[in-house]
Amino acid sequence: MDMTLADVEKDIKTRLQQGATSRKSAMHTCVVATADCDLRVMVLREYCSETNRLRFHTDSRTPKVTAIAGNPSVAVLAYDQQGKVQIRMRGTARIEQDGPVADAAWAEATNFAKRCYLAQQAPSSAVPEPTSGLPQWAEGTNPADDEVAPARDNFAVLLIEIAQFDWLYLANEGHRRARITPGEDGAEPDRTWLVP
Ligand SMILES: Cc1cc2nc3c(=O)[nH]c(=O)nc-3n(C[C@H](O)[C@H](O)[C@H](O)COP(=O)(O)O)c2cc1C
């Protein structure tokens, strides 16, 4: 039996929620593209289906943060090879370094994850030799709370409000493609099938 557009919407929500909560999900990592034509793999940390907001974590000193400050338009790509589903998203990004969302995300992170934000020089700085960028003492350790505390200054959340989902399902008997445009302020989404 063929899917309905409501099924497609549900599939998008389920896959992104699984992506955010399960390391084993193919959509746990997404490709995030910024308006400067650069793109990078990032770990999906949260998907809120009510607000259609994605959360990622990053170092506030990275080039993507500067790119988003200049132009907040972004695209996100998620692909599940086994499920044969691609989800392309367009949205508007913002970086929050302070505030309740960033504080909660930091509080939830393990010290091992927090350690990444201890890099002494900004990510993307050119250096004469290969390096993790971490201070020597932090190499190969799971640091204590007080040791990772200074890393909070470099931590930020990247929040993306999704304005459009493009869903593609590959099937031998015929591919299927749909576009879902969430409504503003809780209005019904605009849903349409597309020729794949
Ligand atoms: C599997 C994987 C997961 C990654 N997850 C993140 C992430 O969650 N946040 C992040 O800022 N960078 C992550 N990166 C590194 C980025 O892809 C990128 O190299 C880095 O953030 C610098 O990006 P920029 O120079 O465009 O700012 C990840 C890379 C890989 C390969």
Side-chain angles (χ1 to χ4, degrees), residues 95-183:
I95 299 287
E96 285 187 9
Q97 224 185 321
D98 302 306
V101 180
D103 285 345
W106 183 253
E108 271 172 28
T110 62
N111 283 1
F112 199 70
K114 288 176 179 175
R115 194 181 68 127
C116 301
Y117 300 93
L118 281 170
Q120 290 162 308
Q121 286 179 277
S124 280
S125 301
V127 284
E129 286 175 17
T131 178
S132 68
L134 298 178
Q136 193 77 45
W137 63 262
E139 297 277 359
T141 61
N142 188 12
D145 291 355
D146 61 323
E147 289 175 319
V148 284
R152 175 67 183 88
D153 290 347
N154 301 324
F155 174 79
V157 289
L158 161 58
L159 303 171
I160 301 177
E161 313 266 346
I162 302 299
Q164 194 169 87
F165 297 94
D166 183 320
W167 175 94
L168 173 69
Y169 173 62
L170 301 177
N172 287 339
E173 58 277 18
H175 306 329
R176 294 286 183 268
R177 184 173 169 202
R179 187 175 61 216
I180 310 283
T181 311

Side-chain angles (χ1 to χ4, degrees), residues 29 38 40-43 45 57-59 62-65 124:
T29 51
D38 215 343
R40 73 284 293 157
V41 177
M42 295 185 80
V43 174
R45 307 287 176 172
H57 295 173
T58 194
D59 190 306
T62 52
K64 68 177 93 51
V65 171
S124 280

Side-chain angles (χ1 to χ4, degrees), residues 33 52 54 72-77 87-93 160-166 179-180 182:
N52 282 306
L54 306 179
S73 293
V74 293
V76 182
L77 178 67
I87 304 174
R88 291 156 78 196
M89 295 159 265
R90 286 169 182 262
T92 305
I160 301 177
E161 313 266 346
I162 302 299
Q164 194 169 87
F165 297 94
D166 183 320
R179 187 175 61 216
I180 310 283

